[in-house]
Amino acid sequence: MKFAAPSAELVEKLVIANRILFNQGVVDGFGHVSVRHDKSPEHFLLSCNRAPGLVKRADILTYGMDGELAVESNQRSYLERYIHSEIYRSRPDVMSVVHSHSVSVIPFGVTGQRLRPIFHMSGFLGSGSALFEISDAAGNTDLLIRNTGLGKALAESLGKHNCVLMRGHGSTVVGPSLESAVYRAIYAEENAKLQLSANALGPIRFLNEEEAELAMITVEGQVIRPWELWSKSIGQIE
Ligand code: MN
């Protein structure tokens, strides 16, 4: 290995992140979360092909910016690992990526509507989510990001946003830390539910861009608080 092993703390934190996302209903048998390697920024950590609620320390593998394993392993990889590799490649500020199919977000992608910050907890949505249309990149597909070309096209759609909706599939959120990416994945789903219900009452006054930025700084500066709470309810990890 030409690079250092990740810290045991980071590996454990990624296991906890997987379990939190499952517990909070963001991922089910599918979906995944990764974190940039703490000792080698050209690598990232991601579980082998395992349901997030079952991920254990031994499942955490190291990948390179090409989306391929950087360590020897007999474990299968997630088909959509290129979501992670291409976002880390194009966004040096991103330290963690969560990809999910959380259901309340789906109606927005298929109607071309953006998620916009409906309350202070989702200031990370800024001026609104980005939208990825896979058929623009590859025509008719199974909707999965299964190679570097599709990963690159997705990363281009994400641009400088923190959240990209994937039409007919799900969404991907990014953050400057593992805790913040998990937080954002949970609150993207919450925001979608609230946006759907408020829309039935009338036109929504969303946070404007400056309000969103200010709220994000305040709330995400305290992201350890909900992280501690969510960590308590995941049970024992292996
Ligand atoms: Mn997917």
Side-chain angles (χ1 to χ4, degrees):
M1 246 184 346
K2 293 195 191 73
F3 55 93
S7 71
E9 293 77 25
L10 189 64
V11 170
E12 179 175 292
K13 207 155 78 164
L14 184 55
V15 174
I16 293 169
N18 273 273
R19 304 280 290 268
I20 288 174
L21 288 167
F22 172 63
N23 253 20
Q24 297 297 316
V26 174
V27 296
D28 48 20
F30 298 94
H32 22 83
V33 50
S34 68
V35 66
R36 199 184 283 271
H37 195 304
D38 55 346
K39 299 192 181 131
S40 175
E42 296 297 299
H43 294 94
F44 64 95
L45 310 183
L46 178 69
S47 170
C48 67
N49 195 322
R50 178 106 48 222
L54 300 177
V55 167
K56 49 194 186 301
R57 288 183 183 86
D59 295 328
I60 303 299
L61 302 175
T62 301
Y63 289 85
M65 291 293 112
D66 57 358
E68 303 306 333
L69 276 171
V71 290
E72 286 213 19
S73 173
N74 297 323
Q75 300 280 9
R76 287 176 55 214
S77 296
Y78 291 125
L79 287 173
E80 295 195 286
R81 56 196 182 276
Y82 307 101
I83 293 172
H84 304 263
S85 56
E86 290 301 320
I87 290 176
Y88 288 123
R89 202 205 286 269
S90 67
R91 288 276 301 268
D93 60 306
V94 168
M95 292 299 141
S96 179
V97 177
V98 178
H99 168 63
S100 82
H101 313 142
S102 73
V103 292
S104 306
V105 174
I106 301 298
F108 292 86
V110 297
T111 53
Q113 300 285 313
R114 290 180 300 161
L115 283 184
R116 293 180 61 192
I118 199 163
F119 68 162
H120 67 305
M121 301 298 280
S122 45
F124 63 90
L125 290 170
S127 60
S129 56
L131 176 65
F132 177 61
E133 175 48 65
I134 193 167
S135 69
D136 290 346
N140 292 332
T141 63
D142 60 7
L143 284 294
L144 300 188
I145 307 298
R146 50 169 65 248
N147 56 50
T148 53
L150 287 168
K152 193 164 186 289
L154 176 70
E156 275 168 17
S157 290
L158 172 68
K160 298 212 175 311
H161 294 82
N162 294 319
C163 174
V164 58
L165 308 187
M166 302 152 78
R167 190 268 305 167
H169 176 175
S171 60
T172 297
V173 301
V174 302
S177 70
L178 182 57
E179 292 91 339
S180 67
V182 166
Y183 169 89
R184 289 172 180 185
I186 291 168
Y187 277 95
E189 171 68 12
E190 291 300 311
N191 197 91
K193 284 183 203 148
L194 289 168
Q195 213 174 317
L196 285 165
S197 60
N199 213 28
L201 297 176
I204 301 171
R205 179 167 172 174
F206 294 101
L207 273 66
N208 64 37
E209 242 177 291
E210 190 175 347
E211 288 175 326
E213 171 81 15
L214 293 169
M216 178 180 76
I217 291 166
T218 301
V219 175
E220 295 195 27
Q222 309 173 62
V223 74
I224 293 304
R225 197 163 92 198
W227 174 271
E228 281 180 350
L229 174 67
W230 294 327
S231 306
K232 284 288 173 217
S233 48
I234 60 169
Q236 279 295 110
I237 63 167
E238 284 172 54

